[in-house]
Coordinates of all heavy atoms in Angstrom, one line a residue:
T499 N 57.1 149.7 -127.7 CA 57.1 151.2 -127.8 C 56.9 151.9 -126.5 O 56.4 151.3 -125.5 CB 56.0 151.6 -128.8 OG1 54.7 151.3 -128.3 CG2 56.2 150.9 -130.2
E500 N 57.2 153.2 -126.5 CA 57.0 153.9 -125.2 C 55.5 154.0 -124.9 O 55.1 154.0 -123.8 CB 57.6 155.3 -125.4 CG 57.5 156.2 -124.2 CD 58.4 155.7 -123.1 OE1 59.3 154.9 -123.3 OE2 58.1 156.0 -121.9
E501 N 54.7 154.1 -126.0 CA 53.2 154.1 -125.8 C 52.7 152.8 -125.2 O 51.8 152.7 -124.4 CB 52.5 154.5 -127.1 CG 52.6 155.9 -127.6 CD 54.0 156.1 -128.2 OE1 54.7 155.1 -128.5 OE2 54.4 157.3 -128.4
G502 N 53.4 151.7 -125.6 CA 53.0 150.4 -125.1 C 53.3 150.3 -123.6 O 52.5 149.7 -122.9
I503 N 54.5 150.8 -123.2 CA 54.8 150.8 -121.8 C 53.8 151.6 -121.0 O 53.4 151.2 -119.9 CB 56.3 151.3 -121.6 CG1 57.3 150.4 -122.3 CG2 56.6 151.4 -120.1 CD1 58.7 150.8 -122.2
L504 N 53.5 152.8 -121.5 CA 52.5 153.6 -120.8 C 51.2 152.9 -120.7 O 50.5 153.0 -119.7 CB 52.4 154.9 -121.5 CG 53.6 155.8 -121.5 CD1 53.4 157.1 -122.2 CD2 54.1 156.1 -120.1
A505 N 50.8 152.2 -121.7 CA 49.5 151.5 -121.7 C 49.5 150.4 -120.7 O 48.5 150.2 -120.0 CB 49.2 150.9 -123.1
V506 N 50.6 149.6 -120.6 CA 50.7 148.6 -119.6 C 50.6 149.1 -118.2 O 49.8 148.6 -117.3 CB 52.0 147.8 -119.7 CG1 52.2 146.8 -118.6 CG2 52.0 147.0 -121.1
C507 N 51.3 150.3 -117.9 CA 51.2 150.9 -116.6 C 49.8 151.4 -116.3 O 49.3 151.3 -115.2 CB 52.2 152.0 -116.5 SG 53.9 151.5 -116.7
R508 N 49.1 152.0 -117.3 CA 47.8 152.5 -117.2 C 46.8 151.5 -116.9 O 45.9 151.6 -116.0 CB 47.4 153.3 -118.4 CG 46.2 154.3 -118.2 CD 45.9 155.0 -119.5 NE 47.1 155.9 -119.9 CZ 47.7 155.7 -121.1 NH1 47.4 154.7 -121.9 NH2 48.7 156.4 -121.4
V509 N 46.8 150.4 -117.6 CA 45.9 149.3 -117.4 C 46.2 148.5 -116.1 O 45.3 148.0 -115.4 CB 45.9 148.3 -118.6 CG1 44.9 147.2 -118.4 CG2 45.5 149.1 -119.9
G510 N 47.5 148.5 -115.7 CA 47.8 147.8 -114.5 C 47.3 148.4 -113.2 O 47.1 147.7 -112.2
C511 N 47.1 149.7 -113.2 CA 46.5 150.4 -112.1 C 47.2 150.2 -110.8 O 46.6 149.9 -109.7 CB 45.0 150.0 -111.9 SG 44.0 150.4 -113.3
G512 N 48.5 150.3 -110.8 CA 49.3 150.1 -109.6 C 49.5 148.7 -109.1 O 50.1 148.5 -108.0
D513 N 49.2 147.7 -109.9 CA 49.3 146.3 -109.5 C 50.4 145.7 -110.3 O 50.3 145.5 -111.6 CB 48.0 145.6 -109.8 CG 48.0 144.1 -109.3 OD1 49.1 143.5 -109.2 OD2 46.9 143.6 -109.1
M514 N 51.6 145.4 -109.7 CA 52.7 144.9 -110.4 C 52.5 143.5 -111.0 O 52.9 143.3 -112.1 CB 53.9 144.9 -109.5 CG 55.2 144.4 -110.1 SD 55.8 145.6 -111.3 CE 56.5 146.8 -110.2
R515 N 51.8 142.7 -110.3 CA 51.5 141.4 -110.8 C 50.6 141.4 -112.1 O 50.9 140.7 -113.0 CB 50.7 140.5 -109.7 CG 50.5 139.1 -110.1 CD 49.6 138.4 -109.1 NE 50.2 138.4 -107.7 CZ 49.7 139.1 -106.7 NH1 48.6 139.8 -106.9 NH2 50.2 139.1 -105.5
K516 N 49.6 142.3 -112.0 CA 48.7 142.4 -113.2 C 49.5 143.0 -114.3 O 49.3 142.6 -115.5 CB 47.6 143.4 -112.8 CG 46.5 143.6 -113.9 CD 45.4 144.5 -113.4 CE 44.4 144.7 -114.5 NZ 43.3 145.6 -114.0
S517 N 50.4 144.0 -114.1 CA 51.1 144.6 -115.2 C 52.1 143.6 -115.8 O 52.2 143.6 -117.1 CB 52.0 145.8 -114.6 OG 51.1 146.8 -114.0
L518 N 52.8 142.8 -115.1 CA 53.6 141.8 -115.7 C 52.9 140.7 -116.4 O 53.3 140.3 -117.5 CB 54.5 141.1 -114.6 CG 55.6 142.0 -113.9 CD1 56.3 141.3 -112.9 CD2 56.5 142.5 -115.0
N519 N 51.7 140.3 -116.0 CA 50.9 139.4 -116.7 C 50.4 140.0 -118.0 O 50.3 139.3 -119.1 CB 49.7 139.0 -115.9 CG 50.1 138.0 -114.8 OD1 51.1 137.2 -114.9 ND2 49.3 138.0 -113.7
I520 N 50.0 141.3 -118.0 CA 49.6 142.0 -119.3 C 50.8 142.0 -120.2 O 50.6 141.7 -121.4 CB 49.1 143.4 -118.9 CG1 47.8 143.3 -118.2 CG2 48.9 144.2 -120.2 CD1 47.3 144.6 -117.7
L521 N 52.0 142.3 -119.7 CA 53.2 142.4 -120.6 C 53.5 141.0 -121.2 O 53.8 140.9 -122.4 CB 54.4 142.9 -119.8 CG 55.7 143.0 -120.6 CD1 55.5 144.1 -121.7 CD2 56.8 143.4 -119.7
Q522 N 53.4 140.0 -120.4 CA 53.7 138.6 -121.0 C 52.6 138.2 -122.0 O 52.9 137.6 -123.0 CB 53.7 137.6 -119.8 CG 54.2 136.2 -120.3 CD 54.5 135.3 -119.1 OE1 54.1 135.6 -118.0 NE2 55.2 134.2 -119.4
S523 N 51.3 138.5 -121.7 CA 50.2 138.2 -122.6 C 50.4 138.9 -124.0 O 50.2 138.4 -125.0 CB 48.9 138.5 -122.0 OG 48.7 137.8 -120.8
A524 N 50.8 140.2 -123.9 CA 51.0 141.0 -125.1 C 52.2 140.4 -125.9 O 52.2 140.4 -127.1 CB 51.3 142.4 -124.7
H525 N 53.2 140.0 -125.2 CA 54.4 139.4 -125.8 C 54.0 138.1 -126.6 O 54.5 137.8 -127.7 CB 55.5 139.1 -124.8 CG 56.6 138.2 -125.3 ND1 57.4 138.5 -126.4 CD2 57.0 136.9 -124.9 CE1 58.3 137.5 -126.6 NE2 58.0 136.5 -125.7
L526 N 53.2 137.2 -126.0 CA 52.8 136.0 -126.6 C 51.8 136.3 -127.8 O 51.8 135.5 -128.7 CB 52.0 135.1 -125.6 CG 52.9 134.6 -124.4 CD1 52.0 133.8 -123.4 CD2 54.0 133.7 -124.9
A527 N 51.1 137.4 -127.8 CA 50.2 137.7 -128.8 C 50.8 138.5 -130.0 O 50.2 138.6 -131.0 CB 49.0 138.4 -128.3
S528 N 52.0 139.1 -129.7 CA 52.6 140.0 -130.7 C 53.4 139.2 -131.7 O 53.9 138.1 -131.4 CB 53.5 141.0 -130.0 OG 54.6 140.3 -129.4
K529 N 53.5 139.7 -132.9 CA 54.3 139.2 -134.0 C 55.6 139.9 -134.1 O 56.6 139.3 -134.6 CB 53.6 139.2 -135.3 CG 52.3 138.3 -135.3 CD 51.6 138.4 -136.6 CE 50.3 137.5 -136.6 NZ 49.6 137.6 -137.9
D530 N 55.6 141.1 -133.7 CA 56.9 141.9 -133.8 C 57.0 142.9 -132.7 O 57.8 142.7 -131.7 CB 56.9 142.6 -135.2 CG 58.3 143.3 -135.4 OD1 59.2 143.0 -134.7 OD2 58.3 144.2 -136.3
V531 N 56.2 144.0 -132.7 CA 56.3 145.1 -131.8 C 55.1 145.1 -130.9 O 54.0 144.9 -131.3 CB 56.5 146.4 -132.5 CG1 56.7 147.6 -131.5 CG2 57.8 146.4 -133.4
I532 N 55.3 145.4 -129.6 CA 54.2 145.6 -128.7 C 53.9 147.1 -128.6 O 54.8 147.9 -128.2 CB 54.6 145.0 -127.3 CG1 54.9 143.6 -127.3 CG2 53.4 145.3 -126.3 CD1 55.4 143.0 -126.0
D533 N 52.7 147.4 -129.0 CA 52.3 148.8 -129.0 C 51.1 149.0 -128.2 O 50.6 148.1 -127.6 CB 52.1 149.4 -130.4 CG 51.1 148.5 -131.2 OD1 50.5 147.6 -130.6 OD2 51.0 148.8 -132.4
E534 N 50.6 150.2 -128.1 CA 49.4 150.6 -127.3 C 48.2 149.8 -127.8 O 47.4 149.3 -126.9 CB 49.1 152.1 -127.4 CG 48.0 152.5 -126.5 CD 47.7 154.0 -126.7 OE1 48.2 154.6 -127.7 OE2 47.1 154.6 -125.8
D535 N 47.9 149.7 -129.1 CA 46.8 149.0 -129.6 C 46.8 147.5 -129.2 O 45.7 147.0 -128.8 CB 46.7 149.1 -131.1 CG 46.5 150.5 -131.6 OD1 46.1 151.4 -130.8 OD2 46.7 150.8 -132.8
L536 N 47.9 146.9 -129.2 CA 48.0 145.5 -128.8 C 47.7 145.3 -127.4 O 47.0 144.3 -127.0 CB 49.4 144.9 -129.2 CG 49.6 143.5 -128.8 CD1 48.7 142.6 -129.6 CD2 51.1 143.1 -129.1

Side-chain angles (χ1 to χ4, degrees):
T499 63
E500 186 65 24
E501 292 76 14
I503 295 177
L504 296 178
V506 172
C507 299
R508 195 179 300 115
V509 178
C511 299
D513 187 335
M514 183 68 76
R515 186 187 303 113
K516 182 178 180 181
S517 300
L518 290 178
N519 285 333
I520 291 172
L521 181 63
Q522 188 171 14
S523 300
H525 166 63
L526 295 175
S528 68
K529 296 181 180 179
D530 186 18
V531 179
I532 302 174
D533 55 7
E534 183 183 19
D535 295 343
L536 180 61

